[in-house]
Amino acid sequence: MKYPITLLLLSLSFGAFSQSKNLNFSRQNIASESYESVGIFDVDGDGNLDLVSGSFWYKGPAFIERQLIGQVKRYGEYYEDFSTISMDVNEDGKMDFVTGGWFEGRLIWKENPGDGSEWKEHLIAETGNIETTRAWDIDGDGTLEIVPNTPRKPLAYYKKIGPDQFEKYPVHDTQGHGLGFGDVNGDGRGDLIISEGWLEAPSNLKTGKWTLHEDFELGDASIPIIVTDLNQDGLNDLIVGQGHGYGLFWLEQKIAEGKRHFVKHEIDPFQSQYHTIEWVDLDGDGQSELVTGKRYRAHNGKDPGGLDEVGLYYFKWNGESFTKNIISFGPALEGKGSGLYFSVADLDQNGKLDIAVAGKDGLVVFWQR
Ligand SMILES: [Ca+2]
Ligand SMILES: [Ca+2]
Ligand SMILES: [Ca+2]
Ligand SMILES: [Ca+2]
């Protein structure tokens, strides 16, 4: 009796396997630099996407030639470069980027000179320690606002109102580690998610007050925290990584007797330092996948699991749970981590999304074949 059951199990598992098409990536090592952020945009306006990471940009589509942006100050193992958000800040047609960092607590942008000279640095705001920064359309007018995550400091966003002109919008008097954006209560306005709960957007963003709902406690959460309706019940759910400890999970939003609560479901409790996440349609089937990995040496190896093997993964949602797929995994410097800020784009224009990922374990492109 044992033999037929084994055969049945085998055929079942092969059946399940054949339904999910596994993606095929090949790895190209771009640089051994240890900046933790990489952006993708067309620096020199030749129509090819380039990589921008730390002190250098790398010319696409080969990414072999590099040019100096300017020296980035180093603090221990870190560089003061915790995001790469492309934005033509001075509106001269050349794409610039927004960055900043923990040690100086300055939100800055770097001006693309377009002539091979070093990029000039401009201050947006003195914010206090910046864990990393993301951009979302907070006010829904079609343009992105800049939102730094500044743990134990006030939460504010910065709206570009003209060439090199930003207006500050205070949101909340403090925040923890982790930040997300999306419509939690379904009123059509995007809310901000912090470690301590979700901040409900007021109807008037100039005069209204954001209201904190302490419906969950996320710990040292990822940036971003994803807001999306996973189980298609009309209520947006949250996807959360642990930036420094172990864990990756989703919180199912439920409403019972008029009261909102969140139910935790594990995605991958076995790996640590899921510091950043992207929610993108990697396989082109119209539904987003969760792309994330370990931030190698997030706290210089001192975090829980800090010396574990390193990896980059995509998790496919099947309607009720996630399946883990490995893009890279192995001992440090064989497996590739996710850094603080990675980027996904179709770099070679073959219709398939590629992944550029920085980190203390180098700058790498994973080409989707
Ligand atoms: Ca510009
Ligand atoms: Ca906007
Ligand atoms: Ca839901
Ligand atoms: Ca998909």
Side-chain angles (χ1 to χ4, degrees), residues 280-289 316:
V280 291
D281 184 6
L282 205 57
D283 61 9
D285 70 348
Q287 179 193 294
S288 290
E289 282 71 50
K316 182 139 184 84

Side-chain angles (χ1 to χ4, degrees), residues 87-96 109-112:
M87 180 178 267
D88 182 5
V89 176
N90 59 354
E91 299 175 22
D92 66 350
K94 297 191 287 285
M95 196 58 87
D96 317 300
W109 68 279
K110 293 191 179 180
E111 181 181 351
N112 181 352

